[in-house]
Amino acid sequence: MRMGTPGFIPGRLTEAREALRIPSMSALARRLGVNASSVSRWEDGTSSPDPDALQQLAAELRVRPEFFLRPQITSARPVFFRSLSSAYVRDLAYQRVQMRWLQEVSATVQHYVDLPAVDIPDVLGSSSYRQLRDEDIERIALDLRRYWKIGEGPCVDVVALMERVGFVIGSIEMGTAKLDGLCGWSLADDRPHVLLATDKMAFARRQMDAAHEMAHALLHKHVTEEQLRTDLKHIETQAFRLASAFLLPSTTFPLEVRVPSLAALVTLKERWRVSIKAQIKRLADLNLISEDQAPHLYKLYSAKGWSKEEPLDRGRWELQQPHVLADALNLIVDAGVRSKADLLAVEFTISAGDVENLCNLPPGWFSRDRAEVVQLTPRFAERPVQSTESGAVVPFPNRSR
């Protein structure tokens, strides 16, 4: 009689399958060359794979065998997606897994390195997100800028700011245009984690995407799964309003909008680093353009083909990248605390490529040897320099004469 694997966690198998977007248990069974009923029993916990099958699973799903024995990262708090109804179930499952893996990698890194302390103010107090009015969100945006001491001008790198105040940020290819980013709070360290899409590499777009997820972390930390399902549209509207108010403050941005034309908004994009489309929406929110002007500007915007790519999107600014996790892993290795091989063999149970993607490490980072610092020996013996004379003070001519 073949024995299973003690301690096998069925949810881990589902997680690994969803991470590779394998659509069903039967599809995984075909890849493994086993009966679909076997994979079904492994995923529902009725039975577990024997050691040989476990090794085969690990190889096919690109994880270490120990992956299936470690507890899953769980959270009672929801993960915030830009849309639930229009995204494919398979894409949403993939993103949820990537968020759990980001939190898992973050927790491992924090065994060795202290990440920036969480410095995120409680902007709601005893209020609920459902009680917020537009003027409340505008006030919160200005309060945040004062709290983080960034003034009321352009915020030139939202990603760097978020990492400085305690966010953990990863970036991966989402594989769909319907998802730009997601945010979730980890119960392990009470720290917000954000995943940003790399599919559309435009600086201004990433600014808004990052600010949008930051807004979720601030306004919707205690939202339940049920509230997220029933209030999704309202929750998304609030997050966009706060992101826009944070990037384009009501006290300064309107003063620079002399003529609300597309040409003027291109110039303002150069300074504020916010997309033209988002600026149009901001002008409408602040009642700086009429109800007729906004649709007209959107039509002109679309007619110019800017829905696909705006002016200044390409090559104007270097895309802002998260760096905290990458810096922490480099520190761990450079300090000799853990080698790269140790990290893969002991700490991480997902593949090297997955860790590199989530942490914004260069591809192949784990396979490269750590750089050695070589002390150069002088070719000639150094001779001490001795001063034999005192310096002379040379007076400058008086040019006033």
Side-chain angles (χ1 to χ4, degrees):
M1 180 177 178
R2 304 185 74 175
M3 301 295 292
T5 301
F8 180 83
I9 299 175
R12 281 295 208 179
L13 176 53
T14 305
E15 191 174 284
R17 177 171 60 79
E18 291 175 342
L20 291 181
R21 287 192 169 97
I22 300 174
S24 64
M25 291 178 279
S26 58
L28 175 58
R30 287 193 294 271
R31 292 174 63 156
L32 295 169
V34 301
N35 292 327
S37 60
S38 296
V39 176
S40 178
R41 288 195 297 271
W42 296 340
E43 283 207 28
D44 67 21
T46 305
S47 65
S48 62
D50 61 50
D52 290 341
L54 186 71
Q55 291 287 342
Q56 186 183 8
L57 272 177
E60 184 66 32
L61 297 174
R62 303 206 297 262
V63 295
R64 288 199 295 121
E66 292 84 354
F67 172 87
F68 300 102
L69 308 179
R70 290 192 181 179
Q72 288 178 282
I73 292 286
T74 58
S75 176
R77 296 167 182 163
V79 173
F80 295 95
F81 298 92
R82 197 67 52 88
S83 172
L84 295 177
S85 58
S86 62
Y88 292 114
V89 173
R90 195 184 310 169
D91 291 328
L92 293 174
Y94 169 77
Q95 302 306 327
R96 285 192 176 95
V97 170
Q98 296 300 316
M99 175 58 75
R100 286 198 292 269
W101 286 5
L102 177 67
Q103 293 178 356
E104 195 168 321
V105 169
S106 170
T108 298
V109 166
Q110 290 182 71
H111 290 159
Y112 302 99
V113 176
D114 290 328
L115 299 185
V118 178
D119 186 23
I120 300 173
D122 180 5
V123 298
L124 292 183
S126 59
S127 301
S128 164
Y129 73 95
R130 288 174 169 169
Q131 297 173 295
L132 290 175
R133 301 164 298 176
D134 289 343
E135 51 265 38
D136 296 323
I137 294 176
E138 295 291 334
R139 174 187 52 77
I140 288 171
L142 295 175
D143 288 346
L144 283 172
R145 281 176 161 266
R146 282 190 288 268
Y147 182 83
W148 286 328
K149 297 180 174 62
I150 64 170
E152 295 182 10
C155 181
V156 297
D157 191 339
V158 179
V159 172
L161 170 66
M162 290 169 64
E163 288 194 314
R164 176 170 67 81
V165 301
F167 282 79
V168 170
I169 303 179
S171 58
I172 59 171
E173 184 177 347
M174 298 288 182
T176 173
K178 299 182 184 299
L179 292 170
D180 297 311
L182 55 154
C183 172
W185 280 83
S186 170
L187 289 180
D189 56 4
D190 199 31
R191 183 186 292 270
H193 290 65
V194 168
L195 273 174
L196 299 175
T198 60
D199 304 67
K200 297 180 179 180
M201 305 289 276
F203 185 100
R205 176 155 189 166
R206 174 160 285 190
Q207 286 276 91
M208 182 57 73
D209 288 345
H212 187 104
E213 303 310 326
M214 178 187 74
H216 276 312
L218 289 157
L219 298 180
H220 307 127
K221 178 179 180 179
H222 300 293
V223 167
T224 65
E225 290 282 0
E226 177 61 26
Q227 289 172 330
L228 181 60
R229 285 191 295 270
T230 58
D231 291 348
L232 177 62
K233 185 176 180 180
H234 181 58
I235 287 171
E236 282 299 306
T237 298
Q238 286 186 340
F240 187 82
R241 181 70 183 239
L242 180 57
S244 300
F246 184 81
L247 292 175
L248 302 169
S250 59
T251 53
T252 50
F253 174 69
L255 302 178
E256 300 186 16
V257 185
R258 293 180 173 84
V259 179
S261 65
L262 292 185
L265 297 184
V266 172
T267 302
L268 289 171
K269 179 178 178 177
E270 175 84 25
R271 169 166 159 74
W272 288 90
R273 304 191 185 188
V274 175
S275 73
I276 298 163
K277 189 174 184 179
Q279 289 183 65
I280 297 173
K281 180 65 168 65
R282 183 65 173 147
L283 293 176
D285 285 345
L286 294 174
N287 297 317
L288 296 174
I289 55 177
S290 67
E291 293 182 1
D292 294 332
Q293 282 180 295
H296 177 67
L297 287 173
Y298 283 131
K299 286 179 182 178
L300 289 176
Y301 178 93
S302 180
K304 289 179 175 290
W306 290 358
S307 298
K308 294 182 180 179
E309 183 176 282
E310 289 186 2
L312 306 177
D313 272 355
R314 185 174 303 192
R316 180 61 185 86
W317 302 289
E318 183 178 351
L319 190 72
Q320 60 279 58
Q321 300 286 2
H323 65 86
V324 164
L325 287 179
D327 289 349
L329 283 169
N330 276 301
L331 179 62
I332 290 168
V333 172
D334 291 343
V337 177
R338 282 285 195 189
S339 68
K340 294 179 181 181
D342 284 342
L343 289 171
L344 289 178
V346 178
E347 296 292 0
F348 300 129
T349 57
I350 60 178
S351 72
D354 283 321
V355 178
E356 290 165 355
N357 286 337
L358 288 168
C359 298
N360 196 41
L361 289 162
W365 181 83
F366 277 101
S367 61
R368 298 174 188 169
D369 293 333
R370 181 166 65 92
E372 297 291 339
V373 178
V374 179
Q375 183 66 43
L376 298 178
T377 302
R379 181 175 296 178
F380 302 103
E382 295 182 357
R383 296 179 180 178
V385 178
Q386 296 181 347
S387 176
T388 57
E389 297 180 355
S390 60
V393 179
V394 179
F396 282 89
N398 190 343
R399 297 184 180 274
S400 62
R401 294 178 182 177

